[in-house]
Amino acid sequence: MRIQSCALTLLLALLSAHAIAFTGPKPGDVIEVTLDQVHPTQAVIGFDQVYYKLERFAKDRQKLFDEICESNGQDEAKTVGESADPLKPDSFTCKDEPNAHPEEMKTVVVGPGGQFYLTDGHHTFTTLWEQPGAGAQMKMKVRITDVFSDSADMATFWKRMEKAHKVWLKDGNGQSLSPDQLPAQLGLKSMQNDILRSIVYFVRGAAYDKPKAGDVSPEFLEFYWADWLRDRLKLADFNLSERSGYHQALQAASDLMVKPPLSKTIGGGLTAKQLGGFKSVKRKALTKTASEKLPYVIDYKDTH
């Protein structure tokens, strides 16, 4: 009996170890990845948003580390010393511990083969990819929202991603793409540019803001607005290479975005209200963006 009891105990221990060994990541888990480990779930970004961040980091190094800390769910960075290095997390400190603010973290879906598919953070991670001293091997923490690794094949995986609104299958001109046309990695050389996506980014807080409640996929909210603007805003009427012209484009976009009733469907079956639309333009917020953000964009383009 003692031998049988020992054998049973050993068997249970082995089964437990086996279960632990094959326990994969779960929704809500926080993991660390290098930037080149995550696959984009969209083909386009707004390059001007990336240019703004890169130029801002070049002129204010503290902001770079604030961005890193915030994206890791750690609020802002503490005072950054000369030895601070984006590739060496021990060289700088953040205000809070990782995952203290999970709502600020970038998100991934686990796909077949344990591959990670980025669903929020394409602009931030592309900026860090392009940032001098950072790059593709930079490590960041991300939060897992879904695990679709049990999909029978990639076609099934992408169907699940579409159903969950976790992929944006349009190019920089709003034309449809297939999943196999998505880029394999981040970076300005891999991603396409959609200037309207940048326009929407810069009018946030003036014409719309991310809703605080409701079943909206925040990672693509700006794309719905950009797509809606595509046939309504004539960018050729504005000189985006200088600040006043860019400001005028933002004003025109904002005026268009607040015009529809909040019950009007904008895109993806979502109404202007569900997409955070305002009833009127907040002019002070728009002026602040024009004075504080646009100069960085213009300066970056003038020097690169």
Side-chain angles (χ1 to χ4, degrees):
M1 290 295 292
R2 180 175 294 179
I3 294 175
Q4 290 179 337
S5 178
C6 290
L8 181 59
T9 301
L10 179 60
L11 177 61
L12 290 173
L14 289 172
L15 288 174
S16 297
H18 180 81
I20 293 172
F22 285 90
T23 298
K26 306 179 297 297
D29 284 355
V30 172
I31 60 173
E32 187 174 74
V33 297
T34 56
L35 298 184
D36 61 359
Q37 280 185 294
V38 296
H39 302 286
T41 55
Q42 62 195 54
V44 299
I45 56 175
F47 281 17
D48 282 1
Q49 181 177 339
V50 175
Y51 297 158
Y52 155 64
K53 290 291 183 72
L54 288 173
E55 188 68 14
R56 191 182 189 198
F57 296 162
K59 293 180 177 177
D60 186 348
R61 195 162 171 267
Q62 175 75 32
K63 296 300 182 183
L64 167 60
F65 294 92
D66 285 345
E67 186 90 1
I68 295 170
C69 289
E70 181 180 334
S71 296
N72 279 331
Q74 298 176 267
D75 200 356
E76 298 177 339
K78 293 184 179 179
T79 302
V80 175
E82 289 296 323
S83 62
D85 184 338
L87 297 178
K88 298 177 181 178
D90 292 341
S91 68
F92 62 95
T93 57
C94 304
K95 289 185 177 180
D96 295 324
E97 293 299 312
N99 198 26
H101 307 278
E103 71 281 358
E104 299 295 339
M105 300 187 73
K106 308 312 176 187
T107 53
V108 299
V109 171
V110 183
Q115 296 293 301
F116 302 116
Y117 292 83
L118 187 68
T119 54
D120 181 37
H122 292 77
H123 288 81
T124 295
F125 283 5
T126 290
T127 302
L128 295 175
W129 182 294
E130 302 293 339
Q131 172 66 31
Q137 294 300 309
M138 182 176 179
K139 295 179 179 180
M140 292 293 293
K141 291 179 173 58
V142 293
R143 181 167 52 86
I144 295 172
T145 59
D146 302 90
V147 177
F148 295 160
S149 54
D150 59 346
S151 300
D153 50 38
M154 291 305 296
T156 302
F157 168 71
W158 286 116
K159 286 180 181 178
R160 293 174 74 178
M161 290 288 281
E162 288 188 70
K163 185 177 181 180
H165 304 290
K166 298 290 184 180
V167 59
W168 182 260
L169 294 174
K170 291 190 178 184
D171 66 14
N173 296 312
Q175 300 301 307
S176 296
L177 296 172
S178 61
D180 61 5
Q181 290 177 293
L182 292 172
Q185 61 185 24
L186 298 167
L188 294 178
K189 291 182 179 179
S190 299
M191 307 294 289
Q192 297 179 35
N193 183 31
D194 184 351
I195 183 60
L196 285 168
R197 176 59 179 76
S198 292
I199 295 288
V200 173
Y201 168 73
F202 288 123
V203 301
R204 180 178 173 182
Y208 79 101
D209 210 338
K210 288 189 176 183
K212 296 180 180 179
D215 188 16
V216 177
S217 178
E219 51 265 35
F220 299 124
L221 181 151
E222 293 90 349
F223 280 108
Y224 290 125
W225 279 117
D227 242 20
W228 184 85
L229 283 171
R230 203 170 303 281
D231 296 326
R232 294 173 172 83
L233 182 64
K234 297 180 181 179
L235 289 178
D237 295 342
F238 308 98
N239 181 3
L240 301 184
S241 63
E242 51 93 18
R243 178 179 152 187
S244 62
Y246 213 128
H247 189 183
Q248 291 168 8
L250 299 185
Q251 289 177 321
S254 297
D255 289 338
L256 287 168
M257 290 171 69
V258 301
K259 191 173 182 180
L262 292 179
S263 59
K264 174 77 173 179
T265 298
I266 300 300
L270 300 169
T271 64
K273 182 178 181 179
Q274 289 174 308
L275 293 174
F278 293 166
K279 292 182 179 180
S280 60
V281 179
K282 296 186 178 181
R283 302 290 174 185
K284 288 185 178 179
L286 198 60
T287 299
K288 184 176 181 180
T289 292
S291 62
E292 295 184 1
K293 294 184 178 181
L294 292 185
Y296 290 113
V297 179
I298 304 303
D299 287 351
Y300 186 90
K301 290 181 175 181
D302 285 345
T303 56
H304 290 79

